[in-house]
Amino acid sequence: MTNEEIISRLEKTLKSSRLGHSIGVACTAANLAMCHDVSLISKAFRAGLLHDCAKYMKDDESIEFCDKHDIELSKYEIAEPALIHAKMGVFVAKNDYDEHDEEILDAIRWHTTGRANMKMLEKIIFVADYIEPFRKILPNLDEIRAKAYKDLDKCVVIIYENSISYIREKGRCMDPTTLEAYEYYKK
Ligand SMILES: [Fe+2]
Ligand SMILES: [Fe+2]
């Protein structure tokens, strides 16, 4: 599928604000690739467009969808269904968008929690999702945006610090992958 075909398909399933966010992530990811690894520019754009391609279902529909398609869910994903769209995104990207590039699929898979020792494209999408231009203003966003173009690993650490304190403040369930990854990048 071309990027234009992806966008017109996304237009049919996502809310317009989600589509705007996805385009924001795609452009930001391509820019980050220009800065950190030029060989990833077009994959970064594509992964950015697709990263939230499954984010159009309600919580119970997501759980049903996974059940129907044999997508295994952890107890953390069941407790925090907002996490599920990353795993489901891999399925939807393959089946509805004919995307089979492993690097792109991994970037979609890990964009919500990140993970220890992320590949460059995974890191780019993880960061771009947080800093894209249409993102609501979050604590230290200016600093995080500047850091993203200077030191991607340090930027990942600051994003984790923010996310972990947000999850704790709200009393939400934390996927252990998040903590593991934070410990990994802090070192
Ligand atoms: Fe997402
Ligand atoms: Fe997103």
Side-chain angles (χ1 to χ4, degrees), residues 87-107:
K87 238 178 217 179
M88 254 169 34
V90 174
F91 183 93
V92 173
K94 279 186 193 163
N95 289 282
D96 294 352
Y97 294 85
D98 202 25
E99 182 56 66
H100 299 282
D101 181 281
E102 284 302 326
E103 262 180 307
I104 293 178
L105 296 174
D106 281 341

Side-chain angles (χ1 to χ4, degrees), residues 13-27:
T13 54
L14 302 183
K15 284 195 300 192
S16 62
S17 57
R18 178 66 50 192
L19 177 65
H21 162 73
S22 302
I23 293 172
V25 173
C27 295

Side-chain angles (χ1 to χ4, degrees), residues 18 21 25 51-52 111 129:
R18 178 66 50 192
H21 162 73
V25 173
H51 82 287
D52 274 342
H111 83 269
D129 194 23

Side-chain angles (χ1 to χ4, degrees), residues 7-167:
I7 293 170
S8 48
R9 195 172 184 120
L10 289 172
E11 246 169 358
K12 295 188 186 102
T13 54
L14 302 183
K15 284 195 300 192
S16 62
S17 57
R18 178 66 50 192
L19 177 65
H21 162 73
S22 302
I23 293 172
V25 173
C27 295
T28 305
N31 277 322
L32 286 171
M34 287 177 203
C35 185
H36 298 294
D37 183 347
V38 288
S39 71
L40 291 172
I41 296 172
S42 61
K43 282 193 191 192
F45 189 82
R46 211 174 170 82
L49 282 182
L50 287 171
H51 82 287
D52 274 342
C53 68
K55 203 158 179 171
Y56 59 86
M57 283 180 233
K58 296 201 183 88
D59 291 352
D60 49 339
E61 288 169 344
S62 305
I63 294 173
E64 253 172 59
F65 182 95
C66 290
D67 206 38
K68 188 171 155 204
H69 297 287
D70 290 321
I71 301 169
E72 227 174 281
L73 296 177
S74 70
K75 62 179 177 186
Y76 308 103
E77 288 163 324
I78 292 167
E80 205 55 70
L83 296 169
I84 301 176
H85 74 282
K87 238 178 217 179
M88 254 169 34
V90 174
F91 183 93
V92 173
K94 279 186 193 163
N95 289 282
D96 294 352
Y97 294 85
D98 202 25
E99 182 56 66
H100 299 282
D101 181 281
E102 284 302 326
E103 262 180 307
I104 293 178
L105 296 174
D106 281 341
I108 298 171
R109 168 65 187 88
W110 297 106
H111 83 269
T112 52
T113 59
R115 61 169 166 171
N117 199 14
M118 283 185 268
K119 285 179 269 178
M120 181 55 92
L121 191 62
E122 293 170 32
K123 238 187 293 187
I124 284 176
I125 297 301
F126 179 79
V127 170
D129 194 23
Y130 203 85
I131 67 167
E132 60 94 2
F134 309 114
R135 212 17 154 141
K136 70 167 194 257
I137 298 303
L138 299 157
N140 330 326
L141 194 53
D142 293 344
E143 182 205 342
I144 295 171
R145 282 178 167 149
K147 203 47 127 193
Y149 293 89
K150 291 191 189 110
D151 187 334
L152 203 53
D153 284 351
K154 277 220 180 84
C155 179
V156 167
V157 174
I158 309 172
I159 291 174
Y160 275 125
E161 279 166 0
N162 274 9
S163 308
I164 290 168
S165 59
Y166 176 84
I167 294 168

